[in-house]
Amino acid sequence: MSDLPIERSRVLPLSRTSLLAGAVLAALTEAIAGTVLSLARLDIMGDTYASSDEFVRLDVGYTAAKLLAFGLAPWIAGRFTLQGALSAATAAMTLACALSVYCSELNTLFALRVLQGFAGGVLLVSAQTLLFQVFAARHQPIIQAVFAIGAVVAPATLTPFMHGWLLDTVSWQWIFAAVIPLGLAALCLLAGSSNADAAEARRLRFDWPGTALFAAAAVSITYLLNQGNRLDWLRNDNVLLLALVAGASTILLIAHSLRGKRDATLLDLGIFGNGGFAFGFIASFVAGFALLGSSYLIPAFSISILRMTPTAAGTLLLPSSLMFVATLFLTALLIRRVGLPPAITVPFGVLGLMCAMWMLSGSSSGSGIPDMLPAILVRGAALGFLFLSITLITMLSLGRTELVYGIALFNVGRQIGGLIGIAFLQTFIEDQTAQNRAVLAAHITPGNMAVMERIALTSRRLAAHGMEMGAATRASAALIGKQLMVQASTIAFNTAFFSVFLFFLGAAPCLILSKIVIGKLIARRKLAAEA
């Protein structure tokens, strides 16, 4: 690994430490704000008197704004410098969260969520680009492992516990309030690292057509993946229209980016000529599916099937943060000290995730934290092996001016992969639940002797506690129906866990094949250029 071509003599050790700490805290603000709706959805809906159709704007607005910010981050960094963009985005995130604490009106909260999403996208790209440019390449394994604690570990394992505890003890407003001290501390640390701004991004002209096309693609893709299942996918005319808009705007954006001048387009697609980045971008979809898909499945199963409180559901994921951090730094040390190629740990990450999903596919409605904990720990360890290596493979081969584009596109790939994973799993679980319920219900008929005995036994027990016999009989039948639904949902979740296992079983050889194909294409291109 060669050092990035940047002057570092002006960067003091204390200033660099302050920069790293500030970047991690800034990433933590995005992790907390970005995942707030995962557990606090019903609480916020109740306080804002919002219907499901109205509330969806908060989901779509945040994610679409974040995607758009990823695309605009290179232009913003070039205009204001990387450190200026990071500080401004952190300040905007802190202010938007502070205002959200006192907001109970849906339209205002929507505007604040859009601001939070845009600020989050800018700060993630500018922070990671700054760290890559300021610190030498030989230090990047450790630096990126530290940054991943705020950018990856926190949203996957830490924030669910914090959100659950705050929801159970106080209210959802306190989740936004928790961002304020972190944001202020990040700003102070970034201000103390002013001498560390030796990194600069290329100054670009604003690409109006590209921005409009990117915005159209971001909004339509986000809404499509977020609400497609609820609207019955392409059988709904509005979803079909959105799919056409998403496809057309994406194709036009790619064509515009390829035809335009390098300093006048929103995206620099020329970096796909770099084999490491091209492979890493493909892997980012798999990583996003793994992170966000499993982060959706496990709490959803815990709350809907195991009837855990938000705090208990968060507690279930909390121990995996230790394994996540441990394998992050183990990977970093192996790469930094032993000289292990980053690609070596990727198979361990994929195999670990496959093992964890296979273990979780055997859960039941009577499972508890001790039953699920081994699989959760394996998942945490696997994510540590996977994410750091993919980041280093993707970014270390890029030049200084290409880094901000590469990091922006890498984040876009990871975010889209996660949205696809969640959309697939939501649809899969709903369809499987309906099918399982129909199959189980076919065996529960009024004339079935076992069913009649179960109803009679339950009715006698309810009547013994003072319920009138007729009401007890009706309640017994309702309880059997409820138990049937729980079992149908449990089987659906188990099948979903196993489907993720099968996804990785198919994705692993595809990643290997893509690495080989990309390598051959790059080699042919070099030979043609030399000839």
Side-chain angles (χ1 to χ4, degrees):
M1 291 183 291
S2 59
D3 288 356
L4 294 170
I6 180 172
E7 175 64 43
R8 296 182 183 82
S9 60
R10 295 180 296 144
V11 182
L12 300 177
L14 181 60
S15 181
R16 285 189 292 175
T17 302
S18 180
L19 172 65
L20 179 59
V24 172
L25 290 180
L28 276 173
T29 65
E30 196 283 325
I32 295 171
T35 55
V36 65
L37 298 185
S38 58
L39 292 180
R41 181 180 307 274
L42 296 178
D43 297 76
I44 299 176
M45 286 179 67
D47 286 351
T48 57
Y49 306 102
S51 65
S52 297
D53 290 330
E54 293 171 331
F55 190 80
V56 70
R57 291 186 297 159
L58 300 186
D59 265 328
V60 175
Y62 184 92
T63 306
K66 186 176 178 180
L67 286 172
L68 180 59
F70 288 153
L72 286 173
W75 176 82
I76 295 172
R79 188 170 182 83
F80 301 103
T81 76
L82 286 165
Q83 187 157 340
L86 174 57
S87 297
T90 304
M93 175 67 80
T94 305
L95 177 62
C97 289
L99 294 175
S100 298
V101 174
Y102 303 99
C103 179
S104 59
E105 201 275 320
L106 187 64
N107 291 327
T108 306
L109 191 58
F110 167 71
L112 293 173
R113 287 296 287 169
V114 170
L115 178 57
Q116 290 167 10
F118 193 86
V122 172
L123 73 83
L124 286 176
V125 174
S126 56
Q128 194 166 25
T129 305
L130 194 59
L131 294 177
F132 265 110
Q133 291 203 9
V134 167
F135 291 88
R138 64 181 181 275
H139 299 312
Q140 287 303 324
I142 298 296
I143 297 302
Q144 295 305 317
V146 174
F147 180 72
I149 294 175
V152 183
V153 177
T157 58
L158 296 176
T159 57
F161 171 77
M162 189 199 77
H163 290 172
W165 184 80
L166 290 174
L167 286 172
D168 286 341
T169 55
V170 277
S171 67
W172 61 268
Q173 286 91 344
W174 281 86
I175 299 175
F176 288 115
V179 173
I180 300 173
L182 292 175
L184 293 176
L187 289 171
C188 291
L189 289 167
L190 292 173
S193 64
S194 58
N195 290 332
D197 194 14
E200 296 179 359
R202 188 172 70 240
R203 192 174 181 86
L204 308 170
R205 286 180 287 175
F206 191 81
D207 181 12
W208 287 104
T211 301
L213 290 170
F214 196 100
V219 173
S220 54
I221 290 173
T222 302
Y223 192 92
L224 179 68
L225 294 175
N226 192 286
Q227 294 297 303
N229 176 54
R230 195 168 68 88
L231 298 177
D232 205 17
W233 291 107
L234 296 181
R235 286 183 283 272
N236 183 288
D237 291 339
N238 292 330
V239 174
L240 181 60
L241 178 61
L242 279 172
L244 293 174
V245 171
S249 56
T250 301
I251 293 171
L252 290 173
L253 176 62
I254 294 172
H256 171 74
S257 300
L258 291 174
R259 293 179 59 187
K261 295 181 180 179
R262 191 178 183 189
D263 63 343
T265 57
L266 186 70
L267 303 177
D268 182 6
L269 300 184
I271 61 175
F272 281 96
N274 182 294
F277 177 79
F279 170 74
F281 182 79
I282 296 172
S284 70
F285 281 93
V286 178
F289 192 106
L291 180 67
L292 297 184
S294 59
S295 295
Y296 159 76
L297 264 184
I298 295 171
F301 178 79
S302 303
I303 292 174
S304 62
I305 303 299
L306 304 184
R307 300 300 177 185
M308 290 185 179
T309 63
T311 302
T315 303
L316 178 62
L317 289 174
L318 193 59
S320 66
S321 62
L322 299 176
M323 295 299 296
F324 201 156
V325 172
T327 51
L328 272 175
F329 284 97
L330 175 61
T331 303
L333 289 173
L334 289 173
I335 296 171
R336 175 73 174 87
R337 300 292 185 185
V338 183
L340 188 75
I344 296 296
T345 66
V346 173
F348 290 100
V350 173
L351 290 173
L353 285 168
M354 290 173 61
C355 181
M357 294 300 107
W358 178 78
M359 293 167 69
L360 288 171
S361 67
S363 303
S364 70
S365 57
S367 297
I369 291 179
D371 303 301
M372 300 180 68
L373 188 58
I376 300 298
L377 293 176
V378 172
R379 169 185 174 265
L383 289 173
F385 284 128
L386 186 65
F387 266 92
L388 180 61
S389 294
I390 289 178
T391 300
L392 296 176
I393 291 170
T394 308
M395 304 305 168
L396 281 181
S397 58
L398 294 178
R400 178 184 175 187
T401 58
E402 296 174 324
L403 267 171
V404 66
Y405 284 107
I407 290 171
L409 287 170
F410 182 81
N411 279 281
V412 169
R414 187 175 68 183
Q415 190 72 42
I416 296 296
L419 290 174
I420 292 173
I422 293 174
F424 164 76
L425 291 170
Q426 286 177 334
T427 304
F428 186 85
I429 289 171
E430 185 175 306
D431 291 347
Q432 285 293 309
T433 299
Q435 293 178 26
N436 295 336
R437 188 170 186 272
V439 171
L440 293 175
H443 297 277
I444 301 179
T445 58
N448 188 300
M449 185 61 65
V451 174
M452 295 175 65
E453 291 177 355
R454 181 65 177 268
I455 291 176
L457 176 62
T458 307
S459 299
R460 288 195 296 270
R461 289 179 177 176
L462 293 174
H465 287 79
M467 184 176 287
E468 189 269 328
M469 195 61 191
T473 302
R474 292 190 295 271
S476 300
L479 286 173
I480 290 178
K482 186 176 180 180
Q483 290 177 337
L484 183 147
M485 191 63 186
V486 170
Q487 291 305 313
S489 299
T490 301
I491 297 171
F493 271 101
N494 285 342
T495 310
F497 284 124
F498 193 73
S499 72
V500 178
F501 165 82
L502 293 177
F503 167 80
F504 284 109
L505 189 63
C510 289
L511 285 175
I512 296 172
L513 181 62
S514 68
K515 181 69 173 175
I516 296 172
V517 171
I518 290 170
K520 289 184 176 181
L521 290 175
I522 298 298
R524 288 181 182 178
R525 184 177 176 181
K526 288 181 178 179
L527 289 174
E530 292 174 358

